[in-house]
Amino acid sequence: MNILLVEDDPAMQTALRRALGSRGMDVDTAADGHAALAQWTAQPPDAVVLDLSLPGLDGLEVLTQARRQGLRTPVIVLTARSTVGDRVLGLNTGADDYLAKPFDLDELEARLHALLRRGGAGAQEVVVGPLRHDRSSGAIYNGARLLDLTPREAALLQALMEQAGRAVSKERLFELVFPDGPQVQYEAVEVVVYRLRKKLAGTGVTLVTLRGLGSLLKADPA
C-alpha cells in the first residue's frame, strides 16, 4: 500500500511515517499544500492521509483542487479540529474518512485498509491527471474526449494507468499487450510504447521509459 502523508509538523510526520512503514506501508511525505498537490497529481498513491492545517494551501483547498482535477484517491483527514461542523465540511469537500488528533495508530491503519477494500478493487474508474479509464467499458478519455487508440495501445495505457507513477517492466508489458507472445518479436512492445508516447503528447501526462526498469506513466505538474 502506497500512502501519501501530508503533515507539516516534523515530529508528527516522522512518527507517522515510521509507524505506517513498520506496518508494511510505503509512505511518501509532503509538508505543505502545494507540494502535496504536486506529488498527488504526479504519482497518485493508494490513499492520502491529509492534515488540514498546512502552510501554502490548507488541507481543504488541497482536497478541493484534487477532486476538481478528477483525482479519486481515498482520503483520510487528520486534524485537531474536532467539532461536528469541521468534520462535515471535510467530508463534504471530498474526504472519505476523518480522524481527530490525538488518535490511535491501530485505528488509522484499520481505516486505511477499510478504505482500500471499499474503493480499490471495485472502483469503476482509474484516473491519472486528465486521463480517465472506464473499467466497465474499457474506454480511456482525456477529459471528455475519447482517446483514439489501437487495442495494443489501449492495453498498454491501461496497464500503466493501473500502476501510475511506478515503473512496469518491459516483460510484464509484453505479457499484457501481446498475450500471443511466441508469435511476436519481443521488441514489438517498444514500438507500441513509442506510438502511445506520441499520442499522449499534450494530454497532461507523460510516458517515461527508464532504462533497466521499464516504463511509467505520470501526470505533468499542474
Side-chain angles (χ1 to χ4, degrees):
M1 187 192 307
N2 179 254
I3 305 296
L4 175 59
L5 170 62
V6 187
E7 170 61 62
D8 67 317
D9 181 272
M12 175 69 77
Q13 184 187 104
T14 299
L16 286 176
R17 178 172 53 80
R18 289 176 177 172
L20 295 175
S22 70
R23 287 164 164 78
M25 302 181 194
D26 183 13
V27 183
D28 296 319
T29 60
D32 67 76
H34 291 291
L37 191 59
Q39 286 180 237
W40 189 351
T41 303
Q43 296 187 2
D46 296 316
V48 175
V49 178
L50 178 66
D51 185 36
L52 289 189
S53 300
L54 298 171
L57 295 176
D58 68 22
L60 287 178
E61 184 60 27
V62 170
L63 187 54
T64 298
Q65 292 194 29
R67 295 309 192 214
R68 192 177 295 150
Q69 291 178 30
L71 297 171
R72 303 291 182 234
T73 311
V75 175
I76 294 182
V77 164
L78 303 180
T79 182
R81 309 172 191 175
S82 58
T83 67
V84 173
D86 287 326
R87 296 185 186 188
V88 170
L89 181 59
L91 294 171
N92 285 343
T93 302
D96 298 274
D97 205 349
Y98 199 110
L99 271 178
K101 298 177 181 179
F103 53 85
D104 185 86
L105 285 171
D106 289 334
E107 182 178 6
L108 174 58
E109 180 187 13
R111 292 196 183 202
L112 283 168
H113 284 294
L115 279 184
L116 293 185
R117 286 196 302 269
R118 186 193 316 162
Q124 292 302 305
E125 293 185 343
V126 179
V127 177
V128 181
L131 296 188
R132 176 171 56 87
H133 171 216
D134 185 336
R135 283 176 168 151
S136 61
S137 68
I140 302 178
Y141 299 86
N142 178 29
R145 182 175 64 86
L146 180 67
L147 286 181
D148 181 17
L149 302 172
T150 68
R152 304 290 192 195
E153 292 164 352
L156 178 65
L157 184 53
Q158 289 169 17
L160 294 174
M161 289 183 70
E162 292 286 350
Q163 299 292 327
R166 304 173 196 173
V168 182
S169 70
K170 182 178 177 180
E171 294 80 6
R172 179 57 179 158
L173 291 175
F174 183 82
E175 292 172 359
L176 294 170
V177 176
F178 297 99
D180 51 347
Q183 305 172 22
V184 182
Q185 291 291 328
Y186 187 66
E187 290 72 19
V189 72
E190 297 178 359
V191 176
V192 182
V193 168
Y194 172 77
R195 290 176 177 170
L196 180 59
R197 182 182 292 113
K198 290 183 67 176
K199 288 189 176 182
L200 292 177
T203 63
V205 298
T206 301
L207 198 171
V208 180
T209 297
L210 304 174
R211 187 179 299 275
L213 294 177
S215 298
L216 65 82
L217 192 73
K218 65 176 183 178
D220 298 337

